[in-house]
């Protein structure tokens, strides 16, 4: 019998605001000035907070941290169309988005200072804590959106963020497959920042895009300029609208770039050229967003200075709050190794406290 074609597939690419701040009027989303300014504020705050935390880490005042510099549009813009009762599920490189979901500024410092209290968002119980294990969070997002349908929450959806490196994990395949089979209201956002620590995108997968994997799972897929706030917002807004109407999940590949190191334990100069970084600096999402706002007549240098002053003040207040808190138990990590107390763990706890007492006495 002759071969026959079972289907023809393609993947769309979306850019609305280019590197120079020029906007495609036909594709420009209808966002209010208030929402546009809110988006820029959180993108800017995320950038400034990252710079401040980098200094704190280098001074030994917090532990190892990942940085989101250069990727602000990919997660802030994707969070903008969400509702409070939607489920937000992230990994560890979405700082500004967590702040948009009401997470206190001090939480990030607590978390990277080693305090589990930093994982709790008192202002939104549908925002999950940081997930470090690659790909694990996608399964949570699918389960949450599936459960919301079982509970009759017809207008609730979930969003999940992951990286290009995590896309190779088995958990990611299982989550995408189940989401499609069960037709869950889930929005998957892959932040393709070109590097999985030292593994470049080119050898992560032979596929031309990560977005095209959606075809294999039978779901909607699209690739967007991840440094274009308007494109990311539009693609995510459409995905949420489809999810709420019962039209299933969407995979969005946001093509962006990690401007800094993977974490502060990493040295990117060992595996990538400065020329590559320079090329992506010209595509900075904050620069093009600022120009867009200025061209619309709703932003200027005076407002920029006011925002910078306000953000600096808020960040410094968070640092002061973090470093002034003394109520934490130094031996708290020993509390939850097992569900109940264990003789060996208690022996280790006592040795730890004894060493701590000696260090305090000799300080």
């Amino acid at each position: 019998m002759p071969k026959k074609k079972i289907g023809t597939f393609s993947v769309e690419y979306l850019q609305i605001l280019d590197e120079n701040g020029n906007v495609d009027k036909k594709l420009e989303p209808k966002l209010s000035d208030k929402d546009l300014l809110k988006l820029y504020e959180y993108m800017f705050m995320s950038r400034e907070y990252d710079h401040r935390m980098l200094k704190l880490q280098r001074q030994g005042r917090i532990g190892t941290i990942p940085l989101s510099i250069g990727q602000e549009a990919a997660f802030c813009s994707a969070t903008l169309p969400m509702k409070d009762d939607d489920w937000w599920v992230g990994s560890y490189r979405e700082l500004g988005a967590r702040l948009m979901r009401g997470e206190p500024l001090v939480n990030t410092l607590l978390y990277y200072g080693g305090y589990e209290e930093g994982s709790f968002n008192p202002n939104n119980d549908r925002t999950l804590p940081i997930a470090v294990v690659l790909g694990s969070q996608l399964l949570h997002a699918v389960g949450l959106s599936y459960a919301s349908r079982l509970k009759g929450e017809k207008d609730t959806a979930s969003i999940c963020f992951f990286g290009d490196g995590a896309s190779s994990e088995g958990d990611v395949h299982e989550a995408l497959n189940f989401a499609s089979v069960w037709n869950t209201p889930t929005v998957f956002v892959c932040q393709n920042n070109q590097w999985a620590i030292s593994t470049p995108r080119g050898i992560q997968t032979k596929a031309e895009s990560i977005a095209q994997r959606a075809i294999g799972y039978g779901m909607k897929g699209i690739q967007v300029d991840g440094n274009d706030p308007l494109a990311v917002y539009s693609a995510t807004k459409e995905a949420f609208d489809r999810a709420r109407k019962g039209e299933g999940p969407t995979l969005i590949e946001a093509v962006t770039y990690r401007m800094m190191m993977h974490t502060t334990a990493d040295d990117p100069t060992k595996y990538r050229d400065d020329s590559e970084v320079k090329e992506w600096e010209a595509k900075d999402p904050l620069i093009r967003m600022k120009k867009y706002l200025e061209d619309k007549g709703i932003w200027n240098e005076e407002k920029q200075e006011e925002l910078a002053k306000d953000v600096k003040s808020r960040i410094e207040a968070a640092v002061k709050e973090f470093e002034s808190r003394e109520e934490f138990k130094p031996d708290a990590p020993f509390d939850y190794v097992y569900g109940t107390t264990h003789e060996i763990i208690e022996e280790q706890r006592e040795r730890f406290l004894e060493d701590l007492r000696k260090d305090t006495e000799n300080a």
Side-chain angles (χ1 to χ4, degrees), residues 3 87 136 168 184 263 268:
K3 295 179 180 177
W87 290 96
S136 61
S168 296
T184 65
T263 71

Side-chain angles (χ1 to χ4, degrees), residues 117-136:
E117 287 82 354
S119 295
F120 174 61
N121 183 346
N123 299 316
N124 192 302
D125 58 6
R126 293 200 169 190
T127 299
L128 269 62
I130 287 174
V132 177
V133 179
L134 294 186
S136 61

Side-chain angles (χ1 to χ4, degrees), residues 43 79 174 224 258 336:
M43 288 172 60
T79 302
E174 293 169 6
V224 302
R258 168 168 58 79
Y336 306 108

Side-chain angles (χ1 to χ4, degrees), residues 21-271:
N22 300 312
V23 64
D24 185 330
K25 292 293 184 179
K26 294 181 180 179
L27 298 174
E28 186 178 14
K30 295 179 180 179
L31 279 166
S32 67
D33 290 351
K34 180 180 179 181
D35 279 340
L36 288 171
L37 294 174
K38 173 185 176 181
L39 177 57
Y40 179 68
E41 175 187 345
Y42 279 99
M43 288 172 60
F44 181 80
M45 186 184 299
S46 182
R47 176 76 58 95
E48 293 300 297
Y49 204 3
D50 265 341
H51 282 305
R52 185 67 177 99
M53 288 197 298
L54 179 58
K55 292 178 181 178
L56 292 171
Q57 192 279 329
R58 294 312 195 206
Q59 294 167 354
R61 293 159 70 181
I62 57 175
T64 300
I65 59 171
L67 298 168
S68 308
I69 294 172
Q71 299 181 212
E72 293 87 355
F75 46 80
C76 286
S77 299
T79 302
L80 188 61
M82 296 185 69
K83 299 179 180 180
D84 286 343
D85 58 357
D86 287 330
W87 290 96
W88 190 98
V89 184
S91 57
Y92 48 79
R93 213 181 296 277
E94 300 92 19
L95 173 57
R98 291 184 176 280
L99 299 179
M100 291 177 73
R101 294 287 285 178
E103 185 173 288
L105 273 168
V106 72
N107 275 38
T108 302
L109 296 174
L110 291 172
Y111 182 87
Y112 291 115
Y115 300 109
E116 187 59 34
E117 287 82 354
S119 295
F120 174 61
N121 183 346
N123 299 316
N124 192 302
D125 58 6
R126 293 200 169 190
T127 299
L128 269 62
I130 287 174
V132 177
V133 179
L134 294 186
S136 61
Q137 71 275 18
L138 277 77
L139 295 166
H140 302 155
V142 175
L144 289 167
S145 53
Y146 181 72
S148 70
R149 283 295 182 267
L150 288 179
K151 294 178 66 177
E153 298 179 9
K154 297 181 179 180
D155 203 38
T156 300
S158 71
I159 191 170
C160 183
F161 296 88
F162 62 107
D164 49 298
S167 72
S168 296
E169 295 290 327
D171 282 353
V172 173
H173 161 77
E174 293 169 6
L176 290 167
N177 191 55
F178 274 122
S180 186
V181 171
W182 292 338
N183 202 48
T184 65
T186 316
V187 180
F188 300 98
V189 179
C190 176
Q191 295 188 78
N192 178 3
N193 66 15
Q194 312 304 315
W195 290 93
I197 309 183
S198 58
T199 302
R201 157 68 178 84
I203 62 173
Q204 186 69 233
T205 174
K206 198 70 181 286
E208 293 182 34
S209 70
I210 292 174
Q212 71 193 62
R213 293 187 180 183
I215 297 169
Y217 296 114
M219 68 173 68
K220 173 77 172 178
I222 187 171
Q223 185 185 79
V224 302
D225 179 348
N227 284 4
D228 173 356
L230 302 185
V232 175
Y233 169 81
S234 293
T236 313
K237 175 66 164 59
E238 180 182 337
F240 270 110
D241 289 345
R242 293 182 66 257
R244 297 188 204 286
K245 290 188 292 186
E247 296 177 8
T250 302
L251 172 60
I252 300 170
E253 177 189 2
V255 181
T256 182
Y257 193 76
R258 168 168 58 79
M259 297 300 296
M260 305 292 284
M261 63 287 292
H262 174 71
T263 71
T264 47
D266 170 44
D267 180 3
T269 64
K270 300 292 185 182
Y271 54 80

